[in-house]
Amino acid sequence: AVPPSSSMAPKKQKVNSLPRVIFGKHAGEDVELLTLQLGRMKVLVSTFGATVTSITVPDCFGQARETVLGFDDHEPYENCPYFGCTVGRYCNRIAKGAFTLDGQTVTLTSTNDRGNHLHGGKVGWDRKIWAVHEHTSTSCTLSHTSPDGDEGYPGEVHAHVTMSLEWP
């Protein structure tokens, strides 16, 4: 594996003092729930899988309405893969859990969908706790480092996802 350049390596956290709620536990680690709000729009983001758990916006009568499927606590997410999450390393299926890279066959460690590798495998990015790097009232940036060999994939990957609310 090629070592990451300094521009690819995770940056130091810039977390502000906004309140963060413990949403549950995964493998003994706290799962946090971050709140983003702009006017009457509100989004809840879990650090487990960088998952959007709720989006509420006013309907045509001004009533706050939920617009995504989600759960009120963390535990159901443990048994409901891909519900609002950030998937990876690969989104979709890799046939028979293998692919060719530079003339070499790479065999992934799991086939979790009828003999195929789906959305990064049994322990893909949706099953990881992502680090909070920035959190403001209207946005958050989460990151995850996937090491070389994670679910059989070659090379280390530093992934960042930013979710933000803005007026059109």
Side-chain angles (χ1 to χ4, degrees):
V2 177
S5 70
S6 60
S7 65
M8 291 175 57
K11 304 252 188 293
K12 194 170 193 172
Q13 289 191 0
K14 299 179 191 174
V15 179
N16 69 13
S17 60
L18 286 176
R20 290 161 38 192
V21 175
I22 302 302
F23 191 45
K25 293 251 186 214
H26 174 74
E29 286 187 69
D30 286 341
V31 174
E32 294 180 271
L33 191 64
L34 311 176
T35 300
L36 312 179
Q37 190 156 1
L38 181 64
R40 295 177 56 206
M41 289 187 292
K42 184 175 170 181
V43 175
L44 300 178
V45 178
S46 169
T47 56
F48 180 68
T51 300
V52 173
T53 66
S54 173
I55 299 175
T56 54
V57 295
D59 66 11
C60 62
F61 302 107
Q63 299 298 311
R65 298 291 181 200
E66 183 60 58
T67 62
V68 299
L69 296 173
F71 300 110
D72 293 333
D73 54 53
H74 169 71
E75 191 169 334
Y77 288 98
E78 292 283 344
N79 300 309
C80 188
Y82 320 123
F83 221 48
C85 70
T86 302
V87 299
R89 287 191 186 190
Y90 186 82
C91 178
N92 207 340
R93 289 163 185 82
I94 297 176
K96 299 180 179 143
F99 62 94
T100 303
L101 178 67
D102 295 332
Q104 301 289 324
T105 299
V106 175
T107 302
L108 302 172
T109 58
S110 65
T111 51
N112 56 331
D113 180 61
R114 300 180 307 258
N116 301 304
H117 181 88
L118 179 65
H119 296 331
K122 288 181 183 171
V123 190
W125 295 356
D126 63 302
R127 316 305 296 162
K128 307 289 184 177
I129 295 178
W130 289 56
V132 179
H133 282 268
E134 290 190 44
H135 180 209
T136 70
S137 61
T138 58
S139 72
C140 65
T141 298
L142 306 174
S143 70
H144 171 66
T145 298
S146 178
D148 180 37
D150 189 17
E151 286 290 308
Y153 289 96
E156 184 173 82
V157 174
H158 299 283
H160 297 262
V161 61
T162 299
M163 300 178 200
S164 64
L165 295 173
E166 298 175 3
W167 293 116

